[in-house]
Amino acid sequence: MINKDFFQALDDLESEKKINKETFIETLEQALTSAYKKMYGEAKSAYVKLVPEKNTIKVYSYKTIVSEVTDPDKEISLSEARLIKKSFKLGDQVMSEESTKDFGRIAAQTAKQVVMQKLKEMERSIAVSELAEKEDELMTTIVKRIDNGTVYVQLSNSNTEGVMLPNDQIPGEKYVVGERIKVYVKKIKDSFKGPQIQVTRSNIGFVRKLFELEIPEIANGDVKIKNISRDAGNRTKVAVYTDKQNIDCIGTCVGFRGQRIDTIVSEMNGEKIDLIEYSEDPLEYIARALSPAQVLSVETNESLMSSRVIVPDDKLSLAIGKSGQNVRLAARLTGWKIEVKAESSVAIAETQTQTPEYELTELSDDDAFQNLEELEEISIDMSDDLEPLD
């Protein structure tokens, strides 16, 4: 039956696979107990006990002491129990060791099945636990295969596979089997097939981690990212700020001769990046967010969180962007609704709403007196034309 080699194997699993031997033994005992009952009948109350210290297995049956026996397979009277041991009392259990001679083959087969199943479960659990630490992190991977637009990548220093769905890819980017690419680990979940890792290159988490990787001042907290808005494959806006007076947050992100930002842009497949210096003043923040467009003025309605921005006529299309992309990204970045108007259209609107060409003036006392005399004369003239009523 189970011998010392089996228990030695459990020790090896614990040291090599980091799988707790006690958990294995507990599961084995439950499985072997179930197998024993199937072999000898469910009527008998029994349990299997593994004894690693003696490299052996024990099977025990037990009966509960009752005042009146109704099930002889599971119960024993107090008088019978005290023939075995005088100190027994009602409710105690009387244990007896069973022969395991005929149970050896079944026990060995059951043990093997349990070990294999438990090994798979624990390895998967450990893999999921270790990978959970990688969630919300940037990882270097190798493109393993591409199937119907879905890219499967292999995580470095691991046999674990990551899945990058079409909507998690940068639009227009081409992937080649065997090439190394950076991905953002979006989500890790367990499934019957094992841990499933969802990775992406299209969300803002990917951009944030790239900035932390390439810009030490962001990684150590000297420069902070306030917000990011992104239209993957086209344009990204990143608002940064610092409370260190001796640090230029924009220059820090750009790097010497643009080396830092160029590295990020290259990793993002040439996507345009607008670096915006964050401001507590919403007027200034909104104006900066519409970069690269020039802004003449900004008006805000704080209760509605809306704003109207005036730009030169020749900068209107730049401020709005293709299909409204620039103003849309600026709105996401700032959290304000933004309406962009050309300078000339605002001037025309203001002209049309100007006051009338005439104006009311206050009459002097002389003017009032003169007008009263004129009214009297008109009244007299009109009364001459009227005929008396019958």
Side-chain angles (χ1 to χ4, degrees):
M1 200 165 63
I2 296 176
N3 55 30
K4 64 179 182 179
D5 292 336
F6 173 78
F7 288 98
Q8 181 60 49
L10 292 184
D11 290 333
D12 294 340
L13 284 173
E14 186 171 39
S15 60
E16 294 174 10
K17 301 287 187 179
K18 300 178 182 178
I19 295 173
N20 190 298
K21 184 176 71 173
E22 296 301 323
T23 304
F24 249 132
I25 289 175
E26 183 180 339
T27 305
L28 268 172
E29 288 176 342
Q30 293 172 1
L32 290 171
T33 299
S34 178
Y36 183 84
K37 286 184 176 181
K38 286 180 181 179
M39 186 173 179
Y40 294 99
E42 296 285 345
K44 184 182 287 188
S45 295
Y47 73 91
V48 177
K49 181 70 176 176
L50 270 68
V51 188
E53 298 82 9
K54 296 182 179 181
N55 297 322
T56 187
I57 180 174
K58 300 286 185 180
V59 179
Y60 298 96
S61 64
Y62 58 91
K63 293 182 180 181
T64 303
I65 301 173
V66 295
S67 58
E68 184 177 351
V69 177
T70 58
D71 186 349
D73 286 323
K74 297 181 178 180
E75 298 171 344
I76 187 173
S77 66
L78 181 60
S79 58
E80 286 182 278
R82 283 183 172 172
L83 292 175
I84 302 171
K85 187 178 180 180
K86 291 183 178 181
S87 60
F88 276 135
K89 57 183 182 299
L90 290 174
D92 288 347
Q93 290 183 339
V94 178
M95 315 292 296
S96 60
E97 187 175 346
E98 301 287 331
S99 171
T100 58
K101 183 178 178 181
D102 299 327
F103 186 51
R105 184 177 58 83
I106 299 297
Q109 290 178 349
T110 302
K112 182 180 179 180
Q113 292 173 356
V114 170
V115 167
M116 295 304 293
Q117 181 181 355
K118 197 67 178 176
L119 185 60
K120 288 181 180 179
E121 290 177 0
M122 287 187 163
E123 283 183 332
R124 186 172 66 189
S125 177
I126 290 171
V128 171
S129 178
E130 289 178 349
L131 288 169
E133 298 175 1
K134 303 296 184 182
E135 196 168 301
D136 194 34
E137 291 294 330
L138 197 68
M139 297 190 70
T140 299
T141 64
I142 300 173
V143 177
K144 193 173 180 182
R145 58 192 171 92
I146 303 171
D147 186 12
N148 292 327
T150 299
V151 178
Y152 296 88
V153 298
Q154 182 177 332
L155 278 61
S156 58
N157 302 321
S158 168
N159 292 323
T160 309
E161 189 176 73
V163 180
M164 185 162 60
L165 299 174
N167 62 339
D168 284 316
Q169 301 165 24
I170 297 177
E173 189 170 47
K174 302 297 181 183
Y175 305 98
V176 179
V177 174
E179 75 171 325
R180 300 174 72 88
I181 59 172
K182 289 184 176 66
V183 298
Y184 174 77
V185 182
K186 184 168 68 172
K187 189 175 183 182
I188 298 173
K189 60 181 182 179
D190 197 8
S191 69
F192 68 94
K193 292 182 178 180
Q196 196 175 66
I197 304 169
Q198 296 180 0
V199 300
T200 181
R201 285 173 58 84
S202 65
N203 72 359
I204 61 174
F206 178 69
V207 178
R208 184 182 295 275
K209 291 300 177 180
L210 275 179
F211 270 75
E212 291 178 3
L213 178 66
E214 299 296 336
I215 304 168
E217 289 81 358
I218 288 181
N220 65 25
D222 286 343
V223 175
K224 299 178 177 64
I225 295 176
K226 179 66 177 179
N227 201 6
I228 300 173
S229 61
R230 186 183 188 196
D231 181 3
N234 295 306
R235 192 177 217 101
T236 291
K237 290 182 181 289
V238 182
V240 295
Y241 71 100
T242 182
D243 50 15
K244 310 284 185 182
Q245 294 184 353
N246 60 333
I247 295 179
D248 173 10
C249 59
I250 300 295
T252 297
C253 294
V254 172
F256 180 67
R257 295 184 178 177
Q259 288 180 352
R260 289 178 173 179
I261 198 67
D262 286 347
T263 300
I264 296 172
V265 168
S266 178
E267 184 61 46
M268 292 169 62
N269 198 35
E271 190 172 312
K272 293 182 178 67
I273 298 178
D274 296 332
L275 291 170
I276 312 298
E277 185 176 357
Y278 172 74
S279 174
E280 291 286 351
D281 182 355
L283 303 180
E284 191 171 4
Y285 188 29
I286 292 168
R288 292 173 180 175
L290 284 167
S291 172
Q294 177 189 351
V295 172
L296 297 176
S297 66
V298 180
E299 300 172 0
T300 59
N301 184 326
E302 291 190 11
S303 61
L304 298 176
M305 284 297 288
S306 63
S307 65
R308 186 176 76 157
V309 178
I310 312 301
V311 299
D313 290 18
D314 60 344
K315 301 297 181 183
L316 181 63
S317 59
L318 183 63
I320 294 174
K322 185 178 180 181
S323 302
Q325 180 197 80
N326 194 57
V327 69
R328 185 171 59 250
L329 289 176
R332 288 182 199 164
L333 190 74
T334 60
W336 287 76
K337 296 176 184 177
I338 301 175
E339 179 187 17
V340 180
K341 293 288 186 180
E343 183 181 17
S344 61
S345 67
V346 174
I348 292 172
E350 289 177 350
T351 301
Q352 291 175 346
T353 56
Q354 285 179 355
T355 55
E357 295 182 358
Y358 61 88
E359 59 180 346
L360 295 176
T361 57
E362 185 178 352
L363 295 176
S364 65
D365 292 340
D366 293 340
D367 289 337
F369 180 79
Q370 182 178 351
N371 288 338
L372 284 173
E373 289 180 344
E374 289 176 355
L375 284 173
E376 288 177 357
E377 291 178 0
I378 293 172
S379 299
I380 294 171
D381 292 341
M382 288 178 66
S383 63
D384 291 343
D385 296 333
L386 293 176
E387 295 182 1
L389 296 174
D390 294 335

